[in-house]
Amino acid sequence: MKRLSTLSGYDMLAIQMLYKGAVAGFIYPNFIIRSTEGAYWIPIAVWAAGALLSSWIFSRLLAQLNGEKLIAGIHASIGGIWTCVICLPVIFFLLTALVVMLRAYTEVITMTMLPTTPIAFLNGMLIAPAILALAGMMPIVRAARVFFLLTLLLTLVLLIVGLSDVHWITGAPWIRTNGDFLLDKRFYAASFIWMGFVITSLIGPHTRHSARRNWKMYSAALLCTLPLIMGYIYLPVMTFGRELSKRLTFPFISKMDSISHYWILFENLTAIFVSVTMFYLFIVIALKLHAIGEMVAVIMPRANKRWIHSGAFLVVYASATLLVSWRVVENITILTIGLRLYVMFVFPLFGLLALAYGRRAGKEGAL
Amino acid sequence: MRDILASIYRLTEQPDSVPLLGLLNEAFADSSDYRASLIGAVEGEELYLCYLDSLCSTEKLEFLLGDESGGDLSFRLSRYSGAGLMEGEFQRCEIAVCSGSAVLCKQSSSAGLILPLAENQQRGIGSPVTENVLQGPMNAFIESLDVNTALIRQQIHSSKLKMWETVIGTASHTRVALYYYADAIDPELLSDLQDRIAEIRIESIQDSAQFLRILMSRKRFHLFPLAISTERPDRVSMDLLKGKAIIMIDGSPFALSIPSVYTDFWHSPEDKYVNPFVTNFLLTLRFLAMFINLFLPALYVALTSINVDVNRLEISLAAAASREGVPYPVFVETLLMLIMIDFITEAGLRLPKTVSSTVTMVGGVVLGQAIIQANIVSNLLIIVVAATAITNFIVIDYQMGLVQRILKYFIVAGASIAGLLGIVFCFACLIIYLSCIETFGTPYLTSLWPKKNKVT
């Protein structure tokens, strides 16, 4: 019997940590810092709990599969049209997430390292993860394993170095909150960081055993990355203060800019941070493109995989190039809140219903 | 020898066929080393011995053709002491003659008797040339498949060591052997390899590396070597016990270890013979050398031309000062020096040892000094290029070293376009490429550390 190419526990851990590393460093801190006047860890913890809930629902859904892929399982249960209806928002979410991610990153590059290089050229870096996505799930996983080792080491070094010149007093309040973030759209916009489990659910075959293991590893990855996420938010706040941090577009990058030690070989740690982020980003973009490819292939079985990936590549590249400013990127993130909430909580419920319907229809057919 | 005589009597003339002697004479018509000697007569018909003078052992032919071989034919034939005796038609006899055997045939018979009297020309077993070690066995494979098989069997005294052999090449008829350890090999890999080898249709084959290319020809072109090419029997035996398959061809002193993953190319056979701590240190050193070799010239380009602010101010100022008066952009300057050092390396490899040291001296010292004084390149770049060249020689596998030499140009190009980000992009592309490669069903990026032996 041929072995299913499911993700191992270590693969899941690596991918989930890479996912958070790709999105937590540059857009996320600004949203969280501006979303509340209280302690920052509370909105983070609330979303972490939300992510655990979402991933648990997904794991229930995946446990129903018997070595199938999620979308293929839903398709087999409710047919092409209904699969299309519940999956189109997911595809649209993936595309917008890719556009935002790519454009945000190239914007960071333009602002910090290559100010004169055209965005259209920088966006061309999409070609590398697109090729990886086309190669399949296991090449992505193998690349993720290597990138994980490199990025984890470098990110830890950067965070440890970032501890210099911090004033703990400026991080206060540490416990108090009035729940103001619940009414702030930026709190909900920051949901994109908690969607790692969704992406891995959409790719590869799943079994009851792999679903349970993946959920456990996702929880472990979440716990491991919480200190990193805290670092991305609290380090700039404890360096520049709350008010100044709110005005910074990229608080953590500004923090990296401010570090200067005679014993550090490099003067500009921002360049190191931006470079490391590229590794994170490539894996996440490849995963998302692969997920799009897998979904479209199920919905349109006759479509050529190369053409699907090429189409997704062109859409993402053109959209990211056509966005006129950073402000638009922020607005898209806010506008797609509903889409993300649908993907995190509603889609898995639909999936459960679809699979239950499919099983019932199967039993009736057998009778 | 009664058997020969009896066999000769059995050689008969087929009514519709052309006599073997005529066919052989025609086939080897323009070969000056071909001999068809009349050695006597049987039943009134002349008996000929056909052979190639260059391949057939003159000592072994002494019983028939020597000065002291007088007497009647049956007496002379009774002195034959060769191993085995086969009867064959023209095609078989032709191949046998080409392999160094002699063919006995009557003037009009359509078949002949093949006497295996080949004398293989081969060198003695020596030390490895491409895989030097200070600790461990010092013998290496040679060009004879039989000798190489013996060397492998001397390492693994077990009946589980199996050998599958076939012949490839419509012209060369090269013997190809596939070795494996029965308890360790993956049966799927074994049958896949046997199928692939059986499917090969080629005129001739000379070396195992060429054989690997043919074996992989149904796949797209790969930059990285997909199998370790080794001349060390100890390495082969270690790989066999790990579950790998070994392919050797007659005429090549290199064995192919299949499948080989990326990290295999960074392990020396010596690693098994020294202290594990030392092994890990050496492994770290090799990977460090790989990174320096790949990225140092690119970092020089990025940090002195695009990301000047990334470096510490003092270093940037020093770099700028060393470039004062250099007329070319950093990229051109670096490219020039990298090509120059590759010229010197290549010249040093190809020339005889006595001359190569002079070339290295002239190229490395004289040219380096002169090029700085002429303000064509900076002092710093000379250090960078020298370090790059040295680290390239730390690469264990020769083929991997060649790939690294190419890759550094690719990364330098990336650095000249987008600085540090260009380097990171190229590195990411490299990892992506490596993660997409599979070697005989095994991912090329399987693990960073070798798996523990399957057989204990």
Side-chain angles (χ1 to χ4, degrees), chain B residues 153-185:
Chain B
R153 287 216 179 267
Q154 279 169 17
Q155 291 276 339
I156 302 175
H157 299 276
S158 168
S159 60
K160 288 175 184 168
L161 172 62
K162 308 289 180 190
M163 178 187 175
W164 178 82
E165 193 180 315
T166 185
V167 174
I168 283 174
T170 51
S172 63
H173 298 282
T174 311
R175 287 166 65 204
V176 175
L178 172 69
Y179 307 87
Y180 57 95
Y181 194 79
D183 279 359
I185 190 94

Side-chain angles (χ1 to χ4, degrees), chain B residues 101-123:
Chain B
S101 297
V103 172
L104 265 176
C105 60
K106 289 193 254 182
Q107 193 173 22
S108 57
S109 66
S110 54
L113 282 181
I114 300 167
L115 313 179
L117 299 172
E119 185 181 51
N120 287 332
Q121 303 300 323
Q122 63 191 45
R123 63 186 164 106

Side-chain angles (χ1 to χ4, degrees), chain B residues 360-404:
Chain B
T360 318
M361 184 65 80
V362 171
V365 181
V366 181
L367 200 63
Q369 188 63 32
I371 213 164
I372 293 170
Q373 284 179 350
N375 264 345
I376 295 173
V377 299
S378 69
N379 297 330
L380 197 58
L381 182 61
I382 296 289
I383 299 170
V384 166
V385 170
T388 308
I390 291 166
T391 49
N392 190 247
F393 296 123
I394 295 177
V395 181
I396 299 284
D397 190 84
Y398 175 66
Q399 293 180 69
M400 190 58 85
L402 292 177
V403 173
Q404 289 230 142

Side-chain angles (χ1 to χ4, degrees), chain A residues 3-252:
Chain A
R3 227 176 122 247
L4 285 175
S5 51
T6 53
L7 297 176
S8 70
Y10 177 73
D11 297 338
M12 187 69 180
L13 184 82
I15 286 175
Q16 293 304 335
M17 290 189 73
L18 285 169
Y19 183 86
K20 297 226 170 27
V23 289
F26 41 98
I27 320 178
Y28 184 70
N30 180 269
F31 278 151
I32 288 292
I33 291 170
R34 284 198 289 167
S35 70
T36 182
E37 293 296 327
Y40 295 124
W41 66 267
I42 295 171
I44 298 172
V46 170
W47 261 125
L52 279 177
L53 175 67
S54 162
S55 59
W56 182 79
I57 303 171
F58 262 103
S59 71
R60 296 285 90 196
L61 169 64
L62 300 179
Q64 312 285 319
L65 302 166
N66 191 20
E68 292 170 287
K69 292 180 181 177
L70 175 60
I71 306 301
I74 293 174
H75 186 268
S77 299
I78 55 171
I81 296 169
W82 285 107
T83 306
C84 219
V85 169
I86 65 167
C87 287
L88 272 180
V90 183
I91 294 174
F92 189 63
F93 148 73
L94 288 170
L95 285 171
T96 51
L98 280 167
V99 171
V100 167
M101 191 176 270
L102 180 67
R103 182 55 197 262
Y105 183 64
T106 48
E107 199 75 37
V108 170
I109 294 173
T110 306
M111 288 182 194
T112 57
M113 290 178 76
L114 302 169
T116 55
T117 310
I119 287 281
F121 177 77
L122 291 176
N123 282 341
M125 74 172 75
L126 184 64
I127 189 82
I131 290 169
L132 184 59
L134 185 63
M137 190 182 86
M138 290 323 286
I140 299 175
V141 172
R142 289 197 284 270
R145 281 184 211 144
V146 179
F147 287 163
F148 176 59
L149 289 177
L150 289 170
T151 52
L152 186 72
L153 193 73
L154 288 167
T155 306
L156 281 176
V157 169
L158 287 176
L159 285 172
I160 290 166
V161 171
L163 284 171
S164 60
D165 203 24
V166 295
H167 311 284
W168 294 88
I169 193 80
T170 53
W174 290 100
I175 299 173
R176 182 176 56 79
T177 183
N178 55 7
D180 56 348
F181 58 85
L182 292 170
L183 300 173
D184 196 298
K185 58 190 175 190
R186 283 175 291 246
F187 166 71
Y188 297 99
S191 57
F192 60 83
I193 193 178
W194 307 106
M195 308 197 68
F197 198 83
V198 175
I199 311 299
T200 46
S201 300
L202 296 172
I203 58 168
H206 299 277
T207 58
R208 180 182 290 271
H209 173 69
S210 74
R212 194 182 302 159
R213 185 189 57 210
N214 286 355
W215 188 72
K216 278 183 190 165
M217 290 319 291
Y218 177 73
S219 309
L222 201 144
L223 280 176
C224 293
T225 44
L226 275 179
L228 265 68
I229 296 168
M230 297 286 187
Y232 285 140
I233 290 162
Y234 274 104
L235 285 178
V237 170
M238 290 194 295
T239 307
F240 308 118
R242 294 175 82 102
E243 286 310 311
L244 181 56
S245 298
K246 274 183 190 172
R247 292 173 201 284
L248 296 170
T249 312
F250 304 115
F252 188 73

